[in-house]
Each structure stands twice: as C-alpha cells, then as structure tokens.
C-alpha cells in the first residue's frame, strides 16, 4: 500500500540530527505515525486528505503549498525523530529485541536520552503551534478545514500538554483550586 507523506527522506534528514546513512526503512514508520498523530489531528481528516490528493496529482499550489512546505515541513521531521529515537538503538527480529552497540561512541544514559527527546518534542510542538496559527489566520484558504463529519478526525487547536489539565469542566460545574486540593479528603 502506498502512503502519501508530507516530507521527503531528504527533508527529514536535513531538518534533524538523523545521520544520512540511517535507513529510510527504519524511519518511514515513524514519519507515518507522526503524520497521523500530529498532522491529521491539527488539520482534520478532510484537509489532510485534500492535501494528499494534491500531492498525488502534483497540483499543490498557493496556501496549500505554503502549509505543506513551510509549516508541516518544519513540524513533521521533529515529531518523526521524537518517535523514532527510542527505536534507533534497537532492532526487532524474529520475536527478539536486540540492542545495537557502537564501536566509536558511548550510549546515552536513560536520563540523557529522555532529555534529548524532550528537547525534540519542544521544538516540534513550537512548529505545530505555528502551523495551527497559520491555518486559523487563513481559514478562507482552507475550506476543507471545517468540513469534517462522522468518523472524521476534527481539527484540534490544542497543542502543548503540561501533564495537568485545570481547564473548566464543560458540564457547567466550576473547578476551583479549593475543590481540587480537597478532592483527596
């Protein structure tokens, strides 16, 4: 099955710290995963499919081309690397997981690897926020942004996640700091 990707192997490798001799076969699943998790949830199913159709037809122009080249193209490599990074050191074969070792370097500690992933995620999240702002400020250029229905993924304007949600409940009840702090009693 052919997949339509919003970035090329060259863009991925030039935009990240991925070494040029890392196989695209290793990276491809993570580009697809990041595209589904971060691009489609920000654009919605209809706009995502609209862009894919134009990429296939070779007719990507105007605001669509700007969105793909300047916004998705900046965001997607970071999220792809974020998801690929834990697996670049390991190889899964015949039901076993092998750890690759280097003859010329020292492996990162778990803490160092986690810090590196957090930095990559922060950068990718910044670019995703820019993409969301671009779309929201140019909705007239993206009519399929608001046409999702049924089982389609609706676009989300939420980007950053800090680990705790103190947003007001939508059922009409108020969440106060006092209620939150006393909830464990």
């Amino acid at each position: 099955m052919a997949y339509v990707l919003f970035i090329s192997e060259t863009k991925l490798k030039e935009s990240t710290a991925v070494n040029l001799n890392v196989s695209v076969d290793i990276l491809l699943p993570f580009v697809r995963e990041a595209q589904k998790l971060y691009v489609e949830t920000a654009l919605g199913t209809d706009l995502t499919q609209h862009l894919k159709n134009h990429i296939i037809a070779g007719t990507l122009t105007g605001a669509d081309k700007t969105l793909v080249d300047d916004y998705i193209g900046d965001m997607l490599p970071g999220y792809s690397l974020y998801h690929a990074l834990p697996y670049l050191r390991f190889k899964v074969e015949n039901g076993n997981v092998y750890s690759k070792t280097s003859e010329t370097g020292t492996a990162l500690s778990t803490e160092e690897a986690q810090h590196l992933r957090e930095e990559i995620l922060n950068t990718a999240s910044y670019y995703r926020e820019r993409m969301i702002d671009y779309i929201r400020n140019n909705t007239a250029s993206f009519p399929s942004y608001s046409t999702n229905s049924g089982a389609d993924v609706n676009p989300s304007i939420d980007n950053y996640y800090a680990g705790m949600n103190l947003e007001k409940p939508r059922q009409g009840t108020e969440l106060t700091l006092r209620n939150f702090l006393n909830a464990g009693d």
Side-chain angles (χ1 to χ4, degrees):
M1 177 179 191
Y3 293 95
V4 177
L5 299 178
F6 291 119
I7 59 171
S8 66
E9 174 187 359
T10 303
K11 176 70 175 177
L12 175 65
K13 290 182 177 182
E14 288 178 354
S15 300
T16 63
V18 173
N19 190 302
L20 293 177
N21 59 3
V22 174
S23 171
V24 70
D25 295 335
I26 294 171
L27 300 173
L28 182 62
F30 300 104
V31 174
R32 287 195 317 251
E33 181 178 303
Q35 195 166 291
K36 292 291 278 178
L37 291 172
Y38 302 102
V39 176
E40 187 171 357
T41 58
L43 304 181
T45 300
D46 289 351
L47 181 53
T48 301
Q49 194 57 51
H50 167 81
L51 294 173
K52 286 179 178 181
N53 291 342
H54 281 286
I55 289 170
I56 291 168
T59 58
L60 197 64
T61 60
D64 290 343
K65 184 164 179 46
T66 300
L67 177 60
V68 170
D69 292 347
D70 297 343
Y71 292 92
I72 296 172
D74 286 344
M75 175 197 73
L76 192 54
Y79 281 122
S80 300
L81 178 58
Y82 173 76
H83 285 278
L85 200 57
Y87 298 96
L88 292 177
R89 182 175 171 204
F90 299 101
K91 187 175 186 180
V92 179
E93 274 187 3
N94 298 325
N96 291 310
V97 179
Y98 301 96
S99 176
K100 298 178 189 175
T101 57
S102 172
E103 297 174 10
T104 60
T106 305
L108 293 179
S109 69
T110 301
E111 293 80 21
E112 290 170 326
Q114 187 58 36
H115 176 72
L116 177 61
R117 285 189 81 220
E118 287 173 12
E119 290 299 320
I120 293 167
L121 180 62
N122 288 341
T123 302
S125 295
Y126 165 77
Y127 285 120
R128 185 171 191 255
E129 186 73 21
R130 285 190 63 232
M131 181 187 72
I132 291 168
D133 288 344
Y134 173 73
I135 295 167
R136 293 188 69 207
N137 289 313
N138 295 285
T139 54
S141 299
F142 305 105
S144 54
Y145 179 68
S146 58
T147 59
N148 299 288
S149 62
D152 291 346
V153 174
N154 287 315
S156 173
I157 60 170
D158 297 328
N159 186 33
Y160 293 103
Y161 177 71
M164 181 182 272
N165 184 1
L166 294 178
E167 182 179 311
K168 259 188 170 178
R170 297 174 194 214
Q171 288 80 21
T173 60
E174 284 192 36
L175 176 65
T176 64
L177 182 57
R178 178 171 296 167
N179 293 346
F180 178 76
L181 294 173
N182 293 332
D185 295 338

